[in-house]
Amino acid sequence: MSATGDQQAERTATDPARRPTYEHGRTPAAWATVIIVCVGFLVGTLALIVDRPWLFWVGVALLPVALVVGKVMQLAGLGALPSYAEEAGVDG
């Protein structure tokens, strides 16, 4: 006996193991990365306005720092799994 579409949808919605996960950046790692990137762009922009070239490069240097911080936080379990890991059923 097969489940109807409504029953199947209800089972999927109530069973966390079957529910699709869409992180879309709602993790501490994503937030930290975005905040550091925004600060880097803000510092770089203000440096251009006040004509401080060294401060501009400080802002530029914050961008790779943001990527490293985000990746380290993801590996520490504070970020989302890559989509290929979710499809393979890998637990984080």
Side-chain angles (χ1 to χ4, degrees):
M1 175 185 208
S2 72
T4 65
D6 291 338
Q7 291 171 335
Q8 183 68 26
E10 183 178 333
R11 239 184 295 143
T12 301
T14 57
D15 184 8
R18 300 184 75 188
R19 189 178 317 140
T21 59
Y22 301 105
E23 294 294 336
H24 197 70
R26 296 184 190 115
T27 64
W31 279 101
T33 302
V34 168
I35 289 170
I36 296 170
V37 166
C38 288
V39 168
F41 275 97
L42 178 65
V43 167
T45 301
L46 292 176
L48 289 174
I49 292 171
V50 297
D51 194 26
R52 299 284 188 257
W54 64 270
L55 190 57
F56 170 79
W57 291 109
V58 169
V60 170
L62 285 175
L63 300 179
V65 168
L67 295 176
V68 169
V69 166
K71 191 59 171 176
V72 167
M73 288 180 73
Q74 179 193 24
L75 294 174
L78 297 172
L81 286 174
S83 60
Y84 62 83
E86 289 176 1
E87 292 168 5
V90 176
D91 290 331

